[in-house]
Amino acid sequence: MKIIKTVDAVGHVLCHDLTQIIKDEFKGARFKKGHIVTKDDIPVLLSMGKENLYVFEQCEGVVHENDAALRLAELCISENMTCSDVSEGKIEIFSTTNGLFLVDSNKLNNINSIDEIMIITRKGSTAVNKGDKLCGTRIIPLVIDEKKITEAEKIVSAEPILKVIPFTLKKAAVITTGSEIYNGRIVDKFTPVIAEKLKRFSIEVTEHLTVDDGIDNIIDAIKKMRKADVDIIICTGGMSVDPDDNTPGAIKSCSADIVTYGAPVLPGAMFLLGYFDDGMPIVGLPGCVMYAKATVFDLVLPKLAADVKITKDDFISMGEGGLCLSCDVCTYPNCSFGK
């Protein structure tokens, strides 16, 4: 820190807030700590009685907080995002579309392990809407050693740590199994629930079949839907381990590569996900999806809608946070479920 004449302060960084008082009009910080003095600021500063200013000494290899925030934001931002102007050393990043938000957690953690640097994001692998805030970047001090920013840039390399992948799936086929529904003994209340969940991701149920129990019936229905113009097949009913529950076996018999039959999530432990050779997903939904407010289906649906391949490791990681607390008033996704 040093003191210099105000008329010589252009380009220098203020060390503290400077208060301006205009009777009956304004009283407050006219210039804030960290402000970079411009030529237009000089008359204002002199009118405030500031003939001299305390500024940070400009040194090679030292980065101001505003410039640091910009460089950190560049490590985060990618397609389908926009960022705010820098304000008081902070930049915020927003989504420009509805989609799946992904975070490279390893890179993020490695950057945040560098002293005096912060990148803060919302939870990854979640759905976001256009305009949602994704991230904020800043440094802790007013200036920082440039080596630390360079270290962060080396961690990220060419691939930004954040992504927003637009939802691309548009059409779904639902196969409802069960003699009780097929024979009209009860009303199908499952399909409307699925349709409502899919609608949030702009996916429409364009095909719907109701079939009697029996593995051959389910296999025939799946084969028929494979020929239809759909992006995903969803099977309901017959998902438990009872001898007469044939949906998992039927899905396997149709040559789907099964990622998982069972997930460490409650509600939703009997969930099944598979993929066909052309990448089309097929899911088997347990009965809990029909009546529970939030289940494993809600956790995987954003990735399915964005056509992002879900792996066995993805399901394994759901164990921590995969317990729904069954609150009296459901606030999902603004809760701990799946996080």
Side-chain angles (χ1 to χ4, degrees):
M1 182 170 75
K2 65 178 180 179
I3 187 170
I4 63 172
K5 290 185 178 296
T6 299
V7 292
D8 298 327
V10 174
H12 288 270
V13 180
L14 296 178
C15 290
H16 57 89
D17 292 353
L18 295 177
T19 300
Q20 183 181 41
I21 301 175
I22 302 176
K23 188 177 183 300
D24 299 326
E25 290 185 26
F26 177 81
K27 179 181 179 181
R30 180 63 179 80
F31 298 98
K32 295 197 173 198
K33 175 182 177 182
H35 176 73
I36 301 174
V37 179
T38 68
K39 181 178 179 181
D40 291 339
D41 295 334
I42 301 302
V44 180
L45 289 164
L46 292 174
S47 74
M48 293 165 55
K50 303 299 180 182
E51 297 285 342
N52 300 289
L53 297 174
Y54 283 97
V55 297
F56 282 96
E57 294 190 70
Q58 295 180 331
C59 315
E60 186 178 350
V62 174
V63 180
H64 180 261
E65 62 175 354
N66 287 352
D67 295 326
L70 285 165
R71 288 173 66 172
L72 293 175
E74 284 296 318
L75 305 183
C76 302
I77 196 167
S78 60
E79 192 177 3
N80 303 312
M81 299 180 201
T82 187
C83 65
S84 68
D85 294 330
V86 62
S87 175
E88 298 180 0
K90 182 176 71 173
I91 287 179
E92 294 177 331
I93 296 174
F94 301 86
S95 178
T96 59
T97 189
N98 299 344
L100 174 70
F101 177 56
L102 297 177
V103 179
D104 189 322
S105 300
N106 288 332
K107 287 183 179 180
L108 177 64
N109 291 339
N110 288 336
I111 290 172
N112 282 332
S113 69
I114 302 172
D115 194 32
E116 299 181 330
I117 285 179
M118 289 199 312
I119 296 177
I120 311 98
T121 77
R122 69 194 296 148
K123 182 68 176 179
S125 296
T126 55
V128 295
N129 296 318
K130 181 179 180 180
D132 281 352
K133 187 188 298 184
L134 306 177
C135 169
T137 70
R138 70 170 307 145
I139 60 171
I140 303 301
L142 189 59
V143 293
I144 191 171
D145 188 336
E146 187 173 19
K147 291 179 181 178
K148 294 181 179 182
I149 302 298
T150 302
E151 182 181 351
E153 291 168 338
K154 288 180 179 178
I155 290 171
V156 172
S157 188
E159 191 73 19
I161 65 174
L162 306 182
K163 291 182 180 179
V164 174
I165 302 176
F167 300 130
T168 55
L169 267 63
K170 299 299 180 185
K171 300 176 182 179
V174 176
I175 299 173
T176 303
T177 65
S179 60
E180 69 279 18
I181 299 175
Y182 181 77
N183 292 308
R185 298 188 183 99
I186 66 171
V187 176
D188 175 19
K189 295 184 179 180
F190 208 150
T191 302
V193 172
I194 298 171
E196 185 62 29
K197 289 182 181 291
L198 294 176
K199 186 178 179 181
R200 299 170 193 167
F201 297 88
S202 299
I203 302 173
E204 181 183 359
V205 177
T206 57
E207 301 285 346
H208 181 213
L209 289 177
T210 301
V211 299
D212 200 355
D213 289 324
I215 191 168
D216 291 336
N217 294 324
I218 304 171
I219 289 174
D220 289 343
I222 294 173
K223 289 181 177 180
K224 184 175 182 180
M225 291 301 95
R226 283 283 288 148
K227 297 177 182 178
D229 180 22
V230 296
D231 303 310
I232 183 173
I233 299 174
I234 299 172
C235 301
T236 70
M239 285 303 302
S240 75
V241 294
D242 294 342
D244 59 347
D245 285 336
N246 295 307
T247 302
I251 294 173
K252 292 178 182 178
S253 297
C254 290
S255 301
D257 180 17
I258 305 301
V259 176
T260 189
Y261 175 33
V265 178
L266 290 174
M270 305 307 293
F271 178 83
L272 182 148
L273 171 66
Y275 290 95
F276 293 106
D277 289 343
D278 59 359
M280 177 189 288
I282 181 168
V283 299
L285 299 184
C288 63
V289 176
M290 178 172 55
Y291 58 81
K293 293 291 182 66
T295 70
V296 64
F297 188 45
D298 297 281
L299 301 185
V300 303
L301 190 49
K303 279 192 174 181
L304 290 171
D307 199 22
V308 171
K309 197 77 176 283
I310 305 173
T311 68
K312 182 68 173 179
D313 285 343
D314 291 328
F315 284 100
I316 292 171
S317 67
M318 291 180 183
E320 182 179 359
L323 178 64
C324 176
L325 301 181
S326 302
C327 303
D328 291 337
V329 178
C330 180
T331 59
Y332 180 83
N334 300 318
C335 68
S336 64
F337 183 52
K339 301 180 177 65

